[in-house]
Amino acid sequence: MLIQFSVENFLSIKDKVVLSLLASKDNEHPEHLIADGNKSYLKSAVIYGANASGKSNVLNAFWFMVNYVLTSHNQQLHKTIDRSPFKFDQEMPARPSSFEVIFTAEGIRYAYGFSVTDKAVTEEYLHYYPNGRQALIFERKDTKDFRFTVDIDEQNTLKERTSANKLYLSVASNWSYSKVIPVLEWFASCQIITKNSAADAYGREAEQLKDDAYRRAIASMLRVADLGIQSLQIRNLDSASSQYGGIFTNIEAIHTVQDANGNAFSYALNMAEESDGTNSYFNLIGIVKRVLDQGTLLVADEMDAHLHPLLTRHLVSLFDSTEFNPKGAQLIFTSHSTNLLDLDLLRRDQIWFTEKDERTAATDLFSLYDFSVRKDTKVEKGYLIGRFGAIPFIRGGM
C-alpha cells in the first residue's frame, strides 16, 4: 500500500512536491479508505491540471523511481544516469534529483528514497518500522559512505558490489539480501501506464486470454460496459499472419444482433476492427482485474483517453468499492474528465491539482482538501471557473 510519494528536481518539478494517500479528517465515503491500525489511506486519487502543468510529470517521476530500482543493478560502469532535472533554472541541472516513497509491505511500513545526479547516486536510505518504531536497514551518503545497523558483514560485502551509478537496494536484492526483498517486490508489483513507461496493459495480460476462465471474466467486464460484446474467442492464425500484432490479432469479440424478424445471430469481429474506445477499455480492464485481484497499485496517465465518462467513473468505483476491492488495491491517475469532480463520487482528499508557476515555470501539486470546501460545493463548476487554479488561461486571438 502506498502512503506517500515525493519528488524534487525532475522534469517540470523544481521544489519538492508530495502526493499523500493518508486520509484526511474528511468523514465522507468511508468505503473509499483502507484501514491500517489507527490510520486510514485512500484507495484512489486523481490529478487534474492544465496541459503542460506537470500532472503527467508527477507520474513520470514515480515511473522513473520504480524503473531505476528494478534495473539499476544492470547499469554499466560509468554509464550516465538517464534522469531529467528541472531545466528552467541554471543551478538545477547540477543538483541531484530526489525521490522518496513511504509504503507498507507484508504489514510493515517502509520509507525508501534516493538522490541522483547524471553520474552517481549521491544519497540512498531505507528505514522500516517492524515494531512501530523506526529502524535503519541502510543509509548511504556522498555515494560511497554507507552505514549499516543490521547484517553488517553481509551488507559490507554487498556495498563493494555497488558502483556509483547503481542503487544499493537494486544490487542487494539482486544478491537476495532478505531485508530488502519485500521492498524490491513492492516496487515490482506496481503497474504503471505512462508514455515514458511504454507499458502496454494489454500486452501484459494477453497470454492469459488463452485461459478460458480468465477470458470469460474479461468478457464479463466488457458486458458490464455495454459495448455490445457478449464473449471473446481465440482463433488460430498461421505464423505469418500472427507476426503482425502477436496474440492481439487472434482475439475476436462476439456480438449478438437481431434481424428484422427478431432472430438472433452471432458475429465475430477481430479486436483490431473495434472502436478506439472499445480497445482503450479492453486494454485497461486486464490490468485493472490483475491489480484488484492482487491488491497492488495502478498508476495510469490519462486513463480516461477515448473512454466515455461513465466508463471512467465505473473503473474508479471498482477501486473505491468494498465489494470489488477487498484487498485494498490503489489507483492513481490523471484526467481531464471534469465529471469526476463530484463530491458524491470522490472525497475531497482524493482530488489533486497541478499548476505551473507563471514566473518560474515550476509545477506545484496540491489537494482540494487544502481549500476547505464545503461538502455541498459544486466542485466541477468551481474548477472550470478557476476557483482552484490548475486550468489554462486562454487569451484572445487565434
Side-chain angles (χ1 to χ4, degrees):
M1 177 179 63
L2 178 65
I3 297 173
Q4 178 177 295
F5 169 65
S6 61
V7 55
E8 179 179 353
N9 190 23
F10 187 80
L11 294 171
S12 64
I13 301 165
K14 180 182 179 182
D15 300 320
K16 181 178 178 179
V17 301
V18 178
L19 177 66
S20 174
L21 296 186
L22 176 65
S24 67
K25 295 180 180 180
D26 190 338
N27 57 13
E28 295 296 304
H29 302 298
E31 71 278 8
H32 294 192
L33 302 180
I34 304 167
D36 184 32
N38 60 355
K39 295 184 178 179
S40 297
Y41 302 94
L42 303 173
K43 292 180 180 177
S44 69
V46 58
I47 304 175
Y48 285 90
N51 293 111
S53 66
K55 60 185 181 297
S56 294
N57 288 341
V58 176
L59 305 192
N60 287 332
F62 184 76
W63 173 81
F64 175 87
M65 185 180 197
V66 171
N67 184 63
Y68 202 57
V69 165
L70 298 179
T71 64
S72 76
H73 64 280
N74 290 322
Q75 190 92 326
Q76 293 181 355
L77 194 65
H78 305 307
K79 187 176 186 293
T80 300
I81 297 172
D82 189 21
R83 58 129 191 181
S84 300
F86 183 78
K87 295 180 178 178
F88 295 125
D89 185 318
Q90 294 180 354
E91 297 181 358
M92 298 308 290
R95 295 183 183 179
S97 300
S98 301
F99 309 82
E100 182 189 63
V101 287
I102 302 173
F103 63 95
T104 61
E106 299 178 2
I108 297 176
R109 182 156 59 104
Y110 292 87
Y112 172 72
F114 63 80
S115 299
V116 294
T117 63
D118 294 341
K119 296 182 179 180
V121 178
T122 59
E123 180 185 16
E124 187 180 5
Y125 54 89
L126 176 61
H127 300 96
Y128 73 146
Y129 301 76
N131 299 306
R133 293 184 178 181
Q134 178 177 295
L136 173 72
I137 296 179
F138 69 82
E139 187 177 71
R140 177 186 190 181
K141 294 183 178 180
D142 300 323
T143 304
K144 296 181 180 180
D145 183 12
F146 287 83
R147 184 165 75 95
F148 308 118
T149 59
V150 293
D151 305 322
I152 295 175
D153 290 341
E154 182 178 3
Q155 293 207 73
N156 274 324
T157 299
L158 293 171
K159 81 173 184 181
E160 297 302 323
R161 296 169 175 155
T162 307
S163 58
N165 62 349
K166 294 181 181 180
L167 293 172
Y168 175 78
L169 173 65
S170 300
V171 173
S173 60
N174 191 51
W175 287 91
S176 301
Y177 175 45
S178 61
K179 287 287 195 305
V180 302
I181 292 299
V183 179
L184 191 283
E185 289 180 342
W186 182 84
F187 278 104
S189 74
C190 296
Q191 306 296 309
I192 306 174
I193 306 173
T194 72
K195 293 178 182 177
N196 283 353
S197 72
D200 180 356
Y202 170 76
R204 294 182 183 184
E205 313 300 325
E207 285 299 316
Q208 286 187 263
L209 286 165
K210 294 179 180 178
D211 178 79
D212 291 343
Y214 179 83
R215 197 167 60 252
R216 285 195 296 270
I218 295 298
S220 176
M221 297 178 77
L222 289 169
R223 287 195 297 273
V224 168
D226 193 28
L227 299 171
I229 297 174
Q230 299 302 311
S231 62
L232 297 172
Q233 68 182 22
I234 301 289
R235 66 187 181 100
N236 294 320
L237 300 179
D238 58 66
S239 58
S241 299
S242 62
Q243 285 178 1
Y244 178 75
I247 192 175
F248 186 81
T249 59
N250 294 20
I251 300 172
E252 293 180 330
I254 307 303
H255 294 257
T256 300
V257 297
Q258 293 184 350
D259 64 12
N261 297 318
N263 300 311
F265 294 90
S266 294
Y267 298 90
L269 279 185
N270 188 277
M271 285 305 299
E273 299 176 274
E274 295 285 352
S275 70
D276 288 344
T278 296
N279 275 292
S280 292
Y281 188 73
F282 180 58
N283 288 348
L284 272 172
I285 57 174
I287 197 168
V288 166
K289 174 175 167 48
R290 179 180 178 182
V291 169
L292 290 172
D293 287 347
Q294 297 181 353
T296 52
L297 170 66
L298 171 59
V299 174
D301 191 18
E302 296 186 6
M303 184 183 73
D304 53 352
H306 304 296
L307 293 185
H308 190 281
L310 291 179
L311 282 184
T312 304
R313 290 174 71 108
H314 172 65
L315 288 176
V316 175
S317 72
L318 291 178
F319 281 86
D320 286 337
S321 164
T322 302
E323 177 184 359
F324 296 106
N325 185 13
K327 295 185 178 180
Q330 292 174 295
L331 169 67
I332 300 171
F333 68 105
T334 64
S335 178
H336 287 294
S337 180
T338 59
N339 81 310
L340 297 176
L341 293 171
D342 183 347
L343 296 184
D344 289 331
L345 177 70
L346 295 173
R347 294 162 50 96
R348 289 169 290 184
D349 50 9
Q350 290 180 280
I351 299 170
W352 290 75
F353 303 106
T354 54
E355 188 167 55
K356 182 176 286 188
D357 187 291
E358 290 187 2
R359 184 177 59 85
T360 66
T363 293
D364 189 19
L365 175 68
F366 48 93
S367 169
L368 177 65
Y369 189 77
D370 296 336
F371 290 87
S372 300
V373 298
R374 290 174 17 181
K375 297 175 183 178
D376 59 351
T377 299
K378 302 298 182 183
V379 179
E380 181 179 20
K381 180 180 179 181
Y383 172 68
L384 291 175
I385 64 175
R387 179 179 174 187
F388 313 118
I391 60 171
F393 176 68
I394 303 173
R395 297 169 174 84
M398 301 262 314

